[in-house]
């Protein structure tokens, strides 16, 4: 279970002790349809794109064949956030290749049910029914930020 505290926002620590429970963020991470990921190109420029993902075993799992895949081979740092700008959840962490991970089959099962798009584990990632291949990344969170509408109850969870 992550440790919660008030984050620093607008240059100072947020006053008050009314924090969101971790379950609030976890529920939104689990239920979201689209997630935006941000990686860094080797020359330092940012790269951002939407992906489909699942929240499993306190990590965000996704597959992409985009420039993000190349970026993550040189810099594993990643930020992922939900589309919702009112009930915000932002995950900052490290993306690691998930091929061979014991939970990869469970990730594929959950992804297939969530998106009605069956995927299957391979030695290097996943494949779909069209034989399209892709790597799978597992984002291990270091810190997660969240807040409700009008920045209500801003909370920082450290893993």
């Amino acid at each position: 279970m992550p440790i919660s505290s008030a984050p620093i926002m607008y240059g100072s620590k947020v006053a008050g002790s009314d924090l969101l429970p971790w379950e609030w963020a976890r529920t939104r991470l689990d239920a979201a349809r689209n997630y935006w990921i941000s990686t860094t190109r080797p020359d330092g420029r940012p790269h951002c794109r939407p992906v489909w993902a699942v929240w499993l075993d306190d990590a965000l799992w996704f597959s992409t064949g985009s420039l993000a895949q190349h970026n993550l081979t040189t810099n594993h740092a990643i930020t992922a956030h939900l589309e919702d700008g009112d009930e915000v959840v932002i995950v900052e962490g490290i993306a690691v290749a998930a091929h061979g991970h014991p939970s990869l089959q469970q990730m594929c099962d959950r992804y297939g049910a969530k998106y009605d798009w069956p995927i299957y584990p391979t030695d290097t990632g996943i494949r779909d029914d069209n034989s399209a291949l892709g790597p799978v990344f597992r984002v291990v969170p270091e810190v997660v930020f969240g807040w409700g509408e009008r920045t209500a109850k801003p909370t920082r969870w450290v893993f």
Side-chain angles (χ1 to χ4, degrees):
M1 181 70 86
I3 298 169
S4 61
S5 64
I8 295 174
M9 295 178 73
Y10 313 111
S12 62
K13 196 155 193 138
V14 176
S17 61
D18 201 11
L19 303 175
L20 294 165
W22 171 242
E23 184 63 21
W24 180 91
R26 195 204 60 75
T27 297
R28 280 155 183 77
L29 285 163
D30 191 46
R33 178 160 179 84
N34 300 304
Y35 306 76
W36 283 86
I37 60 169
S38 181
T39 60
T40 305
R41 292 176 171 100
D43 66 3
R45 292 179 300 137
H47 173 70
C48 191
R49 74 171 310 109
V51 296
W52 285 352
V54 297
W55 184 258
L56 172 66
D57 296 336
D58 285 329
L60 187 69
W61 298 66
F62 69 94
S63 179
T64 184
S66 76
L67 178 59
Q69 175 187 1
H70 174 71
N71 295 344
L72 290 171
T73 63
T74 58
N75 183 343
H76 300 288
I78 189 168
T79 298
H81 66 85
L82 310 182
E83 287 185 313
D84 192 337
D86 291 322
E87 292 188 334
V88 174
V89 180
I90 304 166
V91 177
E92 294 180 356
I94 301 298
V96 294
H99 56 83
H101 192 282
S103 295
L104 189 54
Q105 181 63 57
Q106 191 177 0
M107 177 273 190
C108 289
D109 293 343
R110 188 171 291 182
Y111 186 100
K114 182 176 184 177
Y115 295 106
D116 193 24
W117 193 277
I119 58 173
Y120 312 94
T122 69
D123 290 340
T124 58
I126 55 100
R127 72 168 175 79
D128 65 13
D129 284 337
N130 299 318
S131 296
L133 300 171
V136 174
F137 294 95
R138 182 174 162 262
V139 178
V140 179
E142 294 176 342
V143 64
V144 175
F145 297 93
W147 56 83
E149 265 189 71
R150 298 176 177 244
T151 62
K153 300 181 182 182
T155 306
R156 174 181 184 244
W157 296 275
V158 177
F159 284 74

